[in-house]
């Protein structure tokens, strides 16, 4: 370019370049060179529609920035800008700190004058001090906030008893954000919270189930243009300093009523109001009671299991070192380049069981009751399923003998008691039969056929009695794989067969169950058209991935579109069953209690003499929770622990 003056002149005089190799290289790269120049060119002919003053640094659009960070789940950045961004003007409200019997009496009197109007309440746990378990209770009445530290002593005075009676009054309507947490805290203070008619956390979850954290501050910012900011930490907080210290809690409570009104309107417009009022809200109390009850564990058994597993781990470690010819870090991937996969896998499985369950569970048990109190999370999954945390009791291993030994530690916590488990049989396949309307599937379930053997018989053309175990297993993989959008690649890995054989299985399946194929296609088409799919009870799962230009992301979206209505309907079904069971157990004055929910399974703690009445009550309620085109089937078992269960055969 220095020699010829410009790129154009260079290419006009290309034949003057002495080096044949350079000349050939320039000729071959002509198109790329021109493109590179165009990409690097600073365009000076673009119309400019801004003045210089418009480019001056301005204050950030904090609301748009917060909205973007929430959408992208930038939680750390969101917390940082909440501290820097100016809060929008808050609606005027007064804060009344309740620090004396006189204040408590004034609060009780104010509550008696609410005339049936909903009162917003929030409750946060206080750090345990001197062995006293309590919480900070905030209530909003007509844009006035009342904040009171509560524990068992609070509700023993005359005014405290009046407050406790109002909290326990099912006819006194209350709205909250995370009412289940408030219920648990107040129950530890000796008060049973009733009358919850609204929960902004649950309402927001139904509107946007993909959001992983429905914080009140975020929701207030989004719906009310009123960010609330972070609450002060209660650890070491000087509660007796008065209104200024407690004002943030008052402000949060006052936001709940306004927020709930907005969310209710959106629920109605999205046809989610019935799901909210008839299913999710009643479930709150059921889950709170299950959490409060907890499940008993056999600590001495776990101690014995820990000793035996630790001894086995020591033996594995010594054997692995001997085979490897020296010591190394068994938990370091970089140091595992040895021909010891089987022993290492066994070591890892055993080590995880010991650390995650055998040693951890006894430390999580209440020292007074010997029970573990997990949290059942109602707003944590996009499909509507419940999850469990602190600890996760839905993830107790079942696939290996070692894993199953953990289940033996879960026992009835009452004298002469049993654990009973009620499990839906093949619930997702039955829901698929209902949603697809496929006559072959429906007929098979009505006739009580083994659905995997029946499918294998249809595809192979042989009588069901002649279906071999490996054929049935292959059809089981296909039956369940279809629910999750399994491809021929996935099925070939699952069964250890070629892609061609796997595709032949899938093609034969859809040839025998043509309406299943039609249903799957309809679900994907609906997701692409509407942006969401629905369960039988109207729960929405938004799936933007289904319209992604990226084929891999789009395929993930299509699999979600197929599975979400099935898995979500199964979740809705067992939730409805739980609500009805809790009411019937109370009406029948039985001492049996639900203690665990593991997706399609409910676990009960049962006095031995109540086992038959419980079974007679549980099975029809669970099997009648939702009317399908196929019968629902529930298997019940009972035994001395969660592992050693024997099937109950009742009429």
């Amino acid at each position: 370019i220095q020699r010829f003056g410009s790129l154009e002149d260079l290419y006009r005089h290309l034949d003057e370049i002495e080096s044949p190799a350079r000349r050939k290289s320039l000729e071959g790269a002509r198109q790329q060179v021109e493109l590179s120049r165009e990409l690097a060119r600073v365009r000076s002919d673009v119309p400019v529609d801004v003045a210089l003053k418009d480019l001056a640094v301005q204050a950030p659009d904090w609301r748009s920035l917060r909205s973007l960070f929430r959408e992208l789940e930038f939680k750390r950045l969101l917390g940082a800008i909440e501290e820097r961004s100016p809060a929008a003007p808050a609606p005027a409200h007064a804060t009344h700190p309740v620090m004396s019997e006189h204040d408590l009496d004034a609060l009780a009197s104010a509550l008696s004058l609410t005339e049936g109007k909903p009162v917003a309440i929030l409750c946060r746990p206080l750090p345990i001090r001197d062995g006293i378990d309590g919480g900070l209770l905030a209530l909003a009445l007509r844009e006035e906030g009342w904040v009171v530290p509560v524990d068992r002593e609070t509700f023993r005075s005359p005014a405290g008893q009046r407050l406790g009676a109002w909290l326990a009054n099912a006819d006194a309507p209350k709205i909250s954000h995370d009412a289940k947490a408030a219920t648990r805290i107040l129950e530890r203070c000796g008060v049973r919270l009733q009358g919850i008619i609204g929960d902004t956390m649950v309402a927001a979850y139904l509107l946007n189930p993909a959001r992983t954290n429905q914080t009140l501050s975020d929701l207030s910012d989004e719906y009310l243009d009123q960010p609330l900011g972070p609450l002060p930490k209660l650890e070491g907080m000087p509660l007796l300093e008065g209104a200024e210290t407690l004002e943030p809690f008052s402000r949060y409570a006052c936001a709940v009523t306004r927020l709930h009104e907005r969310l209710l309107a959106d629920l109605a417009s999205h046809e989610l109001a019935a799901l909210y009022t008839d299913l999710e809200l009643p479930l709150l109390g059921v889950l709170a009671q299950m959490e409060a009850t907890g499940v008993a564990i056999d600590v001495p058994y776990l101690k014995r299991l820990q000793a035996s597993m630790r001894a086995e781990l020591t033996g594995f470690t010594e054997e692995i070192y001997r085979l490897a010819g020296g010591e190394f870090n068994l938990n370091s991937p970089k140091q595992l380049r040895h021909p010891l996969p089987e022993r290492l896998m066994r070591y890892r499985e055993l080590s995880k069981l010991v650390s995650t369950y055998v040693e951890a569970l006894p430390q999580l048990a209440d020292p007074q009751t010997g029970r573990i109190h997990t949290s059942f999370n109602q707003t944590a999954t996009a499909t509507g399923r419940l999850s469990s945390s602190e600890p996760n009791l839905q993830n107790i291993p079942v696939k290996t003998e070692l894993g199953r030994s953990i289940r033996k530690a879960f026992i009835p916590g009452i004298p002469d008691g049993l654990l009973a488990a009620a499990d839906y049989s093949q619930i997702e396949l039955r829901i698929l039969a209902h949603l697809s309307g496929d006559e072959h599937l429906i007929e098979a379930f009505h006739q009580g056929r083994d659905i995997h053997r029946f499918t294998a018989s249809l595809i192979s053309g042989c009588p069901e009695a002649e279906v071999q175990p490996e054929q049935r297993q292959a059809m089981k993989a296909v039956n369940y794989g279809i629910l999750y959008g399994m491809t021929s690649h996935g099925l070939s890995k699952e069964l250890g067969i070629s892609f061609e054989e796997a595709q032949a299985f899938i093609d034969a399946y859809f040839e025998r169950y043509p309406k299943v194929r039609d249903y799957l296609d309809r679900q994907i088409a609906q997701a692409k058209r509407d942006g969401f799919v629905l369960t039988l009870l109207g729960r929405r799962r938004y799936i933007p991935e289904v319209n992604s230009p990226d084929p891999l992301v789009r395929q993930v979206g299509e699999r979600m579109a197929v599975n979400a209505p099935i898995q979500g309907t199964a979740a809705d079904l067992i939730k409805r069953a739980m609500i009805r069971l809790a009411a019937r157990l109370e009406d029948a004055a039985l001492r049996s209690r639900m203690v665990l929910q593991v997706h399609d399974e409910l676990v009960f703690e049962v006095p031995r003499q109540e086992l038959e009445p419980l079974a007679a009550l549980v099975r029809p309620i669970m099997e009648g929770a939702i009317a399908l085109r196929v019968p629902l089937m529930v298997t019940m078992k009972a035994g001395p622990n969660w592992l050693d269960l024997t099937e109950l055969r009742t009429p």
Side-chain angles (χ1 to χ4, degrees), residues 215-438:
T215 71
L216 185 53
S217 182
D218 285 353
L219 294 172
S220 180
D221 183 18
E222 181 178 345
Y223 286 90
L224 305 176
D225 194 17
Q226 178 59 58
L228 300 175
L231 283 172
K233 294 181 179 179
L234 292 173
E235 187 70 43
M237 183 179 182
L239 296 176
L240 298 179
E241 287 188 359
E244 184 177 343
T245 305
L246 300 178
E247 188 277 336
F249 299 93
S250 168
R251 178 167 18 105
Y252 263 60
C254 288
V256 169
T257 303
R258 300 190 306 276
L259 177 61
H260 191 251
E261 291 173 356
R262 287 290 307 275
L263 293 173
L264 272 184
D266 280 7
L267 287 170
S269 66
H270 289 79
E271 300 181 336
L272 290 165
L275 187 69
Y276 176 60
T277 56
D278 299 339
L279 189 75
E280 296 293 350
L281 282 180
L283 186 67
L284 279 169
V286 177
L287 296 179
Q289 189 57 53
M290 291 172 66
E291 291 178 0
T293 300
V295 60
I297 61 168
D298 188 340
V299 174
Y301 166 76
L302 285 173
K303 293 293 185 185
R304 295 193 300 272
L305 194 60
Q306 176 186 350
S308 66
M309 284 185 169
R310 279 291 175 195
E312 194 171 355
L313 274 175
T314 300
F316 272 130
T317 303
E318 292 173 352
E319 183 182 4
I320 289 169
Y321 289 162
R322 179 179 57 79
L323 291 172
E327 295 188 8
F328 60 97
N329 184 353
L330 297 180
N331 297 305
S332 168
K334 291 183 179 179
Q335 296 187 36
L336 292 184
R337 296 166 186 164
H338 302 277
L340 307 168
E342 190 275 331
R343 279 291 180 260
L344 287 170
M345 292 296 289
R346 180 82 167 170
Y347 170 89
R348 290 252 174 117
E349 178 196 5
L350 193 57
S351 178
K352 180 174 176 59
L353 289 174
V354 170
S355 61
T356 307
Y357 301 107
V358 178
E359 292 180 344
L361 289 177
Q363 297 174 27
L364 295 170
D366 186 311
Q368 295 182 338
T369 65
R371 291 176 180 268
I372 288 177
H373 301 272
T374 186
S375 292
F376 292 103
N377 308 308
Q378 196 174 352
T379 61
T381 69
T383 60
R385 271 187 165 190
L386 297 175
S387 69
S388 166
S389 60
E390 298 179 345
N392 182 359
L393 297 185
Q394 293 183 335
N395 202 31
I396 304 299
V398 294
K399 292 185 178 179
T400 65
E401 184 178 350
L402 273 175
R404 286 191 294 272
S405 67
I406 307 297
R407 288 202 164 204
K408 192 167 185 175
F410 291 83
I411 59 174
I414 53 177
D416 198 27
L418 298 167
L419 288 187
D423 193 2
Y424 280 112
S425 172
Q426 298 174 334
I427 185 60
E428 292 188 341
L429 289 174
R430 293 172 190 268
I431 291 171
L432 174 64
H434 172 87
L435 293 175
S436 68
D438 190 276

Side-chain angles (χ1 to χ4, degrees), residues 510-524:
F510 286 129
E511 185 179 340
R512 301 309 190 276
Y513 298 134
K515 288 193 175 179
V516 172
R517 173 77 274 171
D518 293 343
Y519 164 75
L520 303 184
D521 291 340
R522 288 198 310 273
Q523 289 305 116
I524 294 171

Side-chain angles (χ1 to χ4, degrees), residues 283 286-287 290-291 295 374-377 384-389 391-396 407 420 422 424 567 570-579 581 593-604 622 642:
L283 186 67
V286 177
L287 296 179
M290 291 172 66
E291 291 178 0
V295 60
T374 186
S375 292
F376 292 103
N377 308 308
R385 271 187 165 190
L386 297 175
S387 69
S388 166
S389 60
N392 182 359
L393 297 185
Q394 293 183 335
N395 202 31
I396 304 299
R407 288 202 164 204
Y424 280 112
Q567 191 178 108
D572 292 345
L573 187 152
I574 199 165
K575 285 179 177 180
R576 180 179 280 182
M578 292 168 71
I579 294 165
L581 280 168
R593 297 179 291 184
M594 276 186 286
V595 292
L596 287 175
Q597 189 260 33
V598 185
H599 305 313
D600 303 332
E601 178 186 19
L602 292 177
V603 180
F604 301 81
M622 290 183 68
W642 199 8

Side-chain angles (χ1 to χ4, degrees), residues 95-116:
T95 299
H96 303 282
V98 180
M99 298 297 177
S100 67
E101 182 70 9
H102 179 269
D103 297 336
L104 202 56
D105 192 62
L107 170 59
S109 298
L111 289 170
S112 68
L113 300 175
T114 55
E115 299 176 346

Side-chain angles (χ1 to χ4, degrees), residues 95-278:
T95 299
H96 303 282
V98 180
M99 298 297 177
S100 67
E101 182 70 9
H102 179 269
D103 297 336
L104 202 56
D105 192 62
L107 170 59
S109 298
L111 289 170
S112 68
L113 300 175
T114 55
E115 299 176 346
K117 294 181 180 178
V119 174
I121 70 167
L122 294 174
C123 202
R124 297 290 182 266
L126 284 171
I128 297 177
R129 299 170 180 171
D130 300 323
I132 299 175
D133 198 356
L136 195 65
L137 178 65
L139 305 97
L141 292 77
R142 299 179 300 276
E143 293 300 341
E144 291 188 354
W146 299 71
V147 187
V148 50
V150 295
D151 55 34
R152 284 189 174 272
E153 289 299 318
T154 306
F155 299 104
R156 287 176 179 161
S157 69
Q161 289 176 7
R162 291 174 63 197
L163 174 59
W166 179 84
L167 290 167
N169 184 357
D171 295 324
K174 307 164 187 76
I175 297 169
S176 187
H177 184 87
D178 195 0
K180 183 162 64 67
T183 302
R184 286 286 306 276
I185 295 167
L186 289 170
E187 182 150 356
R188 292 198 294 270
C189 297
V191 172
R192 184 181 182 187
L193 177 62
Q194 297 188 96
I196 295 293
I197 64 161
D199 189 308
T200 51
M201 186 173 79
V202 174
Y205 163 70
L206 288 178
L207 289 166
N208 185 4
R211 176 183 281 157
T212 57
N213 192 12
Q214 310 279 352
T215 71
L216 185 53
S217 182
D218 285 353
L219 294 172
S220 180
D221 183 18
E222 181 178 345
Y223 286 90
L224 305 176
D225 194 17
Q226 178 59 58
L228 300 175
L231 283 172
K233 294 181 179 179
L234 292 173
E235 187 70 43
M237 183 179 182
L239 296 176
L240 298 179
E241 287 188 359
E244 184 177 343
T245 305
L246 300 178
E247 188 277 336
F249 299 93
S250 168
R251 178 167 18 105
Y252 263 60
C254 288
V256 169
T257 303
R258 300 190 306 276
L259 177 61
H260 191 251
E261 291 173 356
R262 287 290 307 275
L263 293 173
L264 272 184
D266 280 7
L267 287 170
S269 66
H270 289 79
E271 300 181 336
L272 290 165
L275 187 69
Y276 176 60
T277 56
D278 299 339

